[in-house]
């Protein structure tokens, strides 16, 4: 019965693992719901801001704003990579890292000097491993990112861009399209691309002036783009973890079926053999 | 009545109808009643007050008024 005991041990350990993955799946599901709520709650602000900037924007004003400066060629760029602090989320982090590497490679091929800003332990760990210098490393952004987190990430970049020290800023994030689809994407947040107007523009009275309003709102627009990237990435992380843990739980179930079948067969064989021995022994006495 | 919404980056704090709005614009307070001309103004920091007694602490952002609809879009907002 030595084999049987060994199988029992494996059944027990698979059961325990399944318990853990099932719990993690449920935790990720509830965290994901709250993260999705935050993604949805962030939408009205972005819409309102885009609306007003689009209606005030005019090409003549563009040259007055450092954030709208369109450099002819990109000499220095920054890439902000958003990853998670924790693993066990399937290919979530490696997809983001792959996307960041592609973006960096593309910029460097075009002759730009690229500085990397990485959020999340997973991304930092990877770039440390490959020995790349990181301009900024952040692990303090939790799974409830705030508008202040976004501001602290991008304000220095905005200042550098306005001063002409940077020609482009990209953010590598996960786009949260749905629970099943959250592809990594790299978006350019600076220079600001002109938002397209949704509704027809009205004739507004502007205080103090179109230019002053734009100069107050453009930084808010950039910060908001980063804030939305943060909340979407968190939602995508939880969705990825949920899927990964669901697969692990399902696989554990399948493995348990096979192990239990093997164990029962071994036990049955053992009993059959014992009966045969008893019957054989009894027959020998006659 | 005015349709008012108070929007921060993280959430919509208030959405509903009220008779008047007093908002802290960049250069002092502005009062809005029904029939106000379409307007966009930059906000400073201070207290936003609605006719029903509710108030919000706001900082930065802008206020947009059009067709008796007031949108207060602010970078930092909290219920006061």
């Amino acid at each position: 019965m030595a084999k049987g005991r060994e199988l029992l041990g494996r059944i027990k350990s698979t059961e325990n693992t399944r318990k853990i993955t099932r719990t993690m799946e449920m935790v990720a599901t509830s965290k994901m719901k709250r993260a999705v709520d935050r993604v949805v709650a962030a939408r009205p602000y972005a819409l309102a801001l885009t609306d007003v900037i689009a209606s005030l924007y005019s090409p003549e004003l563009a040259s007055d704003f450092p954030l709208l400066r369109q450099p002819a060629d990109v000499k220095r760029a920054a890439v902000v990579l958003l990853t998670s602090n924790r693993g066990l989320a399937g290919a979530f982090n490696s997809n983001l890292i792959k996307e960041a590497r592609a973006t960096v490679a593309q910029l460097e091929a075009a002759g730009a000097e690229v500085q990397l800003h990485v959020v999340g332990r997973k991304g930092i760990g990877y770039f440390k491993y490959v020995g790349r210098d990181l301009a900024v490393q952040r692990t303090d952004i939790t799974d409830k990112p705030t508008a202040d987190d976004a501001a602290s990430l991008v304000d220095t970049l905005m200042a550098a861009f306005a001063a002409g020290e940077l020609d482009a800023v990209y953010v590598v994030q996960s786009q949260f399209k749905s629970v099943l689809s959250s592809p990594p994407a790299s978006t350019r947040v600076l220079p600001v691309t002109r938002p397209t107007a949704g509704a027809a523009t009205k004739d507004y009275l502007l205080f103090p002036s179109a230019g002053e309003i734009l100069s107050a709102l453009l930084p808010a627009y950039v910060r908001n783009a980063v804030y939305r990237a943060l909340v979407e990435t968190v939602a995508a992380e939880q969705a990825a973890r949920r899927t990964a843990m669901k697969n692990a739980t399902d696989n554990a179930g399948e493995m348990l079926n096979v192990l239990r079948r093997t164990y029962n067969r071994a036990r049955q064989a053992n009993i059959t053999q014992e009966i045969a021995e008893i019957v054989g022994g009894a027959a020998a006495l006659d | 009545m005015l349709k008012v919404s108070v929007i921060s980056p993280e959430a919509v704090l208030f959405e509903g109808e009220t008779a008047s709005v007093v908002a802290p614009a960049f250069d002092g307070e502005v009062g809005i009643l029904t029939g106000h001309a379409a307007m966009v103004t930059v906000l400073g920091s201070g207290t936003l007050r609605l006719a029903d007694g509710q108030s919000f602490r706001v900082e930065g952002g802008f206020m947009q008024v059009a067709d008796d609809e007031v949108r207060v879009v602010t970078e930092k907002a909290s219920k006061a």
Side-chain angles (χ1 to χ4, degrees):
Chain A
M1 238 357 229
K3 201 188 170 210
R5 203 158 292 134
E6 194 184 296
L7 278 170
L8 269 184
R10 285 183 64 189
I11 289 173
K12 194 86 203 136
S13 107
T14 314
E15 273 173 351
N16 286 340
T17 310
R18 182 169 70 168
K19 240 177 253 171
I20 295 169
T21 56
R22 184 175 284 155
T23 313
M24 284 186 73
E25 181 193 337
M26 288 189 286
V27 171
T29 307
S30 89
K31 277 192 178 170
M32 184 189 74
K33 273 183 197 138
R34 265 173 284 153
V36 171
D37 286 346
R38 269 194 293 277
V39 173
V40 173
R43 235 164 247 166
Y45 181 82
L47 284 177
L49 209 52
T50 313
D51 205 32
V52 167
I53 291 179
S55 68
L56 294 181
Y57 186 95
S58 63
E60 309 88 73
L61 282 170
S63 54
D64 298 346
F65 295 102
L67 293 183
L68 294 171
R69 183 173 64 92
Q70 305 281 346
D73 67 326
V74 177
K75 284 195 197 71
R76 268 170 298 182
V79 173
V80 183
L81 167 64
L82 309 179
T83 61
S84 67
N85 277 334
R86 284 160 203 278
L88 290 181
F92 174 77
N93 286 305
S94 52
N95 283 343
L96 284 167
I97 290 167
K98 214 186 287 167
E99 180 73 29
R101 279 169 50 103
T103 309
V104 170
Q106 206 184 335
L107 286 166
E108 279 174 347
E113 198 182 297
V114 182
Q115 43 168 283
L116 257 174
H117 297 236
V118 183
V119 176
R121 269 189 204 109
K122 293 290 152 186
I124 294 170
Y126 172 80
F127 284 103
K128 270 214 181 117
Y129 173 70
V130 297
R132 194 184 161 106
D133 284 335
L134 302 178
V136 170
Q137 313 177 3
R138 297 281 299 265
T139 55
D140 58 331
I141 293 175
T142 63
D143 48 8
K144 294 185 192 74
T146 61
D148 289 338
D149 289 333
S152 70
L153 256 179
V154 81
D155 279 359
T156 49
L157 292 172
M158 268 198 283
F161 182 83
E165 289 157 20
L166 283 172
D167 299 319
V169 176
Y170 290 82
V171 173
V172 177
Q173 60 160 119
S174 250
Q175 279 178 311
F176 188 78
K177 287 186 178 159
S178 73
V179 176
L180 294 172
S181 164
S182 47
S186 135
T187 38
R188 198 188 68 186
V189 293
L190 283 170
V192 176
T193 28
R194 183 200 172 161
T196 41
T201 52
K202 280 180 92 69
D203 226 354
Y204 287 108
L205 295 169
L206 302 172
F207 299 102
S209 67
E212 298 264 356
I213 295 175
L214 269 184
S215 71
L217 297 192
L218 282 172
Y221 183 73
V222 174
R223 265 180 231 132
N224 184 245
V226 175
Y227 173 69
R228 291 215 303 161
L230 283 172
V231 288
E232 283 197 29
T233 303
V234 169
E237 177 200 340
Q238 299 301 346
R241 180 163 299 125
R242 200 191 77 132
T243 315
M245 288 302 117
K246 188 177 161 26
N247 288 340
T249 309
D250 292 351
N251 288 343
E254 268 169 46
M255 201 190 263
L256 275 175
N257 277 339
V258 174
L259 286 173
R260 285 208 183 103
R261 204 175 297 136
T262 320
Y263 171 72
N264 284 339
R265 196 171 292 150
R267 189 177 57 103
Q268 197 64 58
N270 213 352
I271 293 168
T272 313
Q273 202 196 336
E274 274 167 19
I275 290 174
E277 276 164 12
I278 293 168
V279 171
L285 287 178
D286 287 337
Chain B
M1 293 292 264
L2 291 164
K3 276 169 83 180
V4 182
S5 47
V6 181
I7 306 167
S8 82
E10 277 130 7
V12 176
L13 285 153
F14 175 79
E15 201 159 22
E17 297 209 321
T18 185
S20 71
V21 176
V22 177
F26 68 102
D27 57 352
E29 291 197 319
V30 203
I32 309 288
L33 292 167
T34 52
H36 198 287
M39 172 183 88
V40 174
T41 179
V42 171
L43 296 178
S45 61
T47 317
L48 172 83
R49 295 196 301 277
L50 307 182
D52 56 12
Q54 285 195 77
S55 60
F56 301 89
R57 208 166 293 125
V58 298
E59 198 180 321
F62 66 94
M63 176 169 68
Q64 182 185 21
V65 185
D67 303 325
D68 289 344
E69 262 191 71
V70 181
R71 274 203 293 197
V72 179
V73 179
T74 171
E75 285 194 63
K76 277 179 196 158
S78 60
K79 246 186 145 96

